[in-house]
Amino acid sequence: YNALVILMHIGLFFGSFNPPHTGHLVIASHMIEYSDIERIWFMVSPHNPLKAKGDLLDARARLQLVKDAVAQDPRFEASDFEFNLERPSYTIHTMQQLAQKYPEHSFTLIMGGDNLHSLHLWKDYEALLDSYRIFVYRREGFDNAELADHPNVIVFDVPLLNISSTFIRKAVKKGKSIRYLVPQVVEEQITLNKYYQ
């Protein structure tokens, strides 16, 4: 009888990270400090099927920004796992592939209240809810998603930093400073490569 030993509890933080910002890092750190999650994988999405492409930076460029953002924190890792899956990448498919590739780990999804709100639009969302824990951080205006009562959904009161990637992209376009909104290295890369201008 071989009990499967769980090597690590990994939190999967899905997002476009367009760009990654201080709020993302605060959320990830909070999840590790206040739950049994030991590592966070920032799952950079090639392109979210529910979002218009718009000013979405190239996937490799966003991956590099996340790598730069998390380089100093051994608890965090940037992942391009979804880059090699069929498009569009549905979370349920990603989870199935991860389970095959890393049977020794247990995975928890991390998402904002806004995502929980639209979760019923996701492919096979019931299977996701039944098979995985979903850790939700509150976002303004998205407090009472009906799925919040599901036994696998745990809502965390993360200190609310009302920073969004959209706000940052607009600020860059207007020539405003984004200092402190993003890690310094991310700010440098955005300036250097003229991203979002």
Side-chain angles (χ1 to χ4, degrees):
Y1 170 67
N2 269 341
L4 181 65
V5 180
I6 297 294
L7 275 192
M8 213 177 290
H9 288 287
I10 293 171
L12 301 174
F13 195 171
F14 287 88
S16 302
F17 302 111
N18 186 38
H21 55 67
T22 310
H24 294 135
L25 300 176
V26 168
I27 290 158
S29 184
H30 187 93
M31 291 300 179
I32 286 181
E33 293 301 321
Y34 294 92
S35 78
D36 58 0
I37 288 177
E38 298 159 88
R39 290 272 188 288
I40 302 269
W41 290 359
F42 287 76
M43 307 291 288
V44 181
S45 311
H47 176 235
N48 176 343
L50 294 178
K51 281 186 182 172
K53 276 215 163 88
D55 49 5
L56 186 65
L57 213 55
D58 171 74
R60 294 262 157 225
R62 287 182 285 118
L63 178 71
Q64 189 56 53
L65 287 177
V66 176
K67 281 183 173 169
D68 292 342
V70 304
Q72 301 302 315
D73 196 326
R75 305 171 302 167
F76 300 160
E77 191 178 311
S79 170
D80 63 357
F81 190 79
E82 287 201 300
F83 290 18
N84 310 310
L85 304 181
E86 291 171 31
R87 310 281 170 88
S89 53
Y90 294 107
T91 305
I92 189 74
H93 293 165
T94 304
M95 300 306 287
Q96 288 158 351
Q97 298 291 323
L98 281 166
Q100 279 176 10
K101 189 167 180 189
Y102 304 102
E104 70 278 17
H105 295 325
S106 81
F107 293 106
T108 298
L109 281 103
I110 296 170
M111 66 175 64
D114 51 337
N115 283 325
L116 186 64
H117 218 72
S118 61
L119 192 66
H120 63 283
L121 304 174
W122 292 23
K123 187 175 172 64
D124 300 338
Y125 80 96
E126 294 104 332
L128 265 183
L129 274 168
D130 293 338
S131 311
Y132 300 97
R133 295 184 308 174
I134 300 181
F135 287 0
V136 176
Y137 56 93
R138 290 192 194 281
R139 289 195 76 167
E140 256 173 41
F142 293 98
D143 262 3
N144 307 316
E146 52 198 72
L147 295 173
D149 296 333
H150 192 282
N152 274 344
V153 173
I154 302 167
V155 179
F156 286 79
D157 277 310
V158 180
L160 204 57
L161 278 179
N162 210 9
I163 302 175
S164 73
S165 296
T166 310
F167 178 87
I168 291 165
R169 292 194 303 273
K170 285 179 180 162
V172 172
K173 276 197 182 76
K174 291 178 186 161
K176 304 286 186 197
S177 167
I178 54 170
R179 192 175 184 186
Y180 309 125
L181 296 175
V182 296
Q184 188 179 345
V185 60
V186 172
E187 181 188 13
E188 287 164 3
Q189 286 305 314
I190 287 174
T191 306
L192 186 70
N193 295 296
K194 298 184 163 51
Y195 290 155
Y196 308 120
Q197 292 177 20

